[in-house]
Amino acid sequence: MQKLKLQVTSFTRKSRKYNSYKGKVGTVAPNRIRRRFGTSIPHQKITTDTTEFKYYEIDLKNRLTMQKLYLDPYMDLFNGEIVSYSIDRHPSAANVMRALNEVIEVTADCPCRRTFHSDQGWAYQMKAYSRRLKEERIYQSVSRKGNCHDNSVMENFFGLLKQEMHYGRAYDSFESLKKAIEQYIKYYNEERIKESLGWLSPVAYRRSR
């Protein structure tokens, strides 16, 4: 970059990371994944987390106010594909469960028992969440408290997502930011190539197996 006299303009300092941990409010499952993120079986290992985005709106008094958007994605560790996601204005159980029900349906073709991994966020301790997994005979796996490396794959995705479509850009409404996230996830799944996938996109890699 120095030789070519390039200057980075799309990156700004990160704000405080959203933390969904509210203490022990329900059942905490064991860490079954134990950082073994790799798998050769599509839809066998799924990981999830919640992240927030900021945007700005003009209120009725013509003041600029900061608002937040929350994204709940589910990623297939086979190829890094975002299998399902849900977006809302507030962190909510409904948002998490909406995306959960979709990913359960999409991954139902897995020939072996599935494992869904997350951190210890309050939503993943809910009885409704763990009960839904048990109904489908899906193993629940949870990171150790305060250990982001136990779910580093999803953390890396969030960092990539925000640096490529959010940092350094201003969004003036929930709808415009939501649309930008949806477009990026489609691009990430279908077009963005990875060296680890043989220079294929996640969808192309899945289809080639």
Side-chain angles (χ1 to χ4, degrees):
M1 292 178 65
Q2 291 176 343
K3 289 181 179 179
L4 297 176
K5 297 182 179 180
L6 298 177
Q7 176 64 47
V8 176
T9 59
S10 63
F11 180 78
T12 58
R13 185 173 63 86
K14 295 181 180 179
S15 59
R16 184 178 62 84
K17 179 182 179 294
Y18 170 70
N19 185 1
S20 62
Y21 182 72
K22 307 298 181 186
K24 190 172 181 179
V25 298
T27 303
V28 177
N31 184 359
R32 297 177 183 274
I33 293 293
R34 299 197 299 274
R35 302 190 190 178
R36 296 173 298 177
F37 301 121
T39 177
S40 60
I41 304 172
H43 299 161
Q44 180 195 22
K45 294 180 180 180
I46 303 295
T47 189
T48 186
D49 199 354
T50 300
T51 192
E52 70 177 22
F53 296 78
K54 296 177 181 178
Y55 65 97
Y56 297 87
E57 285 186 335
I58 302 296
D59 64 15
L60 296 177
K61 295 182 179 180
N62 204 34
R63 297 175 302 188
L64 187 66
T65 61
M66 185 188 73
Q67 305 294 334
K68 294 182 179 179
L69 173 152
Y70 294 86
L71 169 67
D72 290 288
Y74 286 79
M75 174 189 286
D76 186 355
L77 292 177
F78 166 71
N79 61 344
E81 181 179 357
I82 302 303
V83 180
S84 76
Y85 63 91
S86 190
I87 297 173
D88 206 347
R89 297 176 185 269
H90 308 283
S92 67
N95 205 42
V96 171
M97 296 301 293
R98 197 159 44 238
L100 174 65
N101 287 325
E102 182 179 349
V103 72
I104 287 174
E105 182 178 349
V106 173
T107 62
D109 61 349
C110 183
C112 55
R113 194 164 181 180
R114 292 164 285 174
T115 299
F116 282 21
H117 185 70
S118 69
D119 63 12
Q120 293 190 26
W122 61 268
Y124 313 117
Q125 297 183 42
M126 294 188 306
K127 289 183 178 180
Y129 186 90
S130 57
R131 182 171 59 245
R132 185 74 182 93
L133 296 181
K134 288 179 180 178
E135 289 173 354
E136 300 293 334
R137 297 189 70 253
I138 296 172
Y139 288 123
Q140 183 175 9
S141 173
V142 172
S143 300
R144 292 166 296 175
K145 179 183 175 182
N147 197 321
C148 62
H149 298 293
D150 284 354
N151 200 6
S152 59
V153 178
M154 186 57 80
E155 296 288 348
N156 290 341
F157 169 73
F158 287 155
L160 190 69
L161 166 66
K162 291 182 178 181
Q163 183 154 343
E164 294 191 353
M165 58 71 57
H166 188 252
Y167 294 142
R169 301 184 186 182
Y171 294 91
D172 59 5
S173 69
F174 174 84
E175 289 74 19
S176 64
L177 178 53
K178 179 174 181 288
K179 183 178 180 181
I181 293 171
E182 291 172 339
Q183 290 176 337
Y184 182 86
I185 291 177
K186 181 177 174 61
Y187 157 75
Y188 173 85
N189 280 341
E190 299 179 4
E191 298 181 42
R192 195 181 192 281
I193 61 175
K194 296 183 179 181
E195 182 179 4
S196 61
L197 300 180
W199 303 110
L200 297 174
S201 69
V203 169
Y205 182 80
R206 170 170 53 79
R207 290 173 177 171
S208 70
R209 296 299 96 182

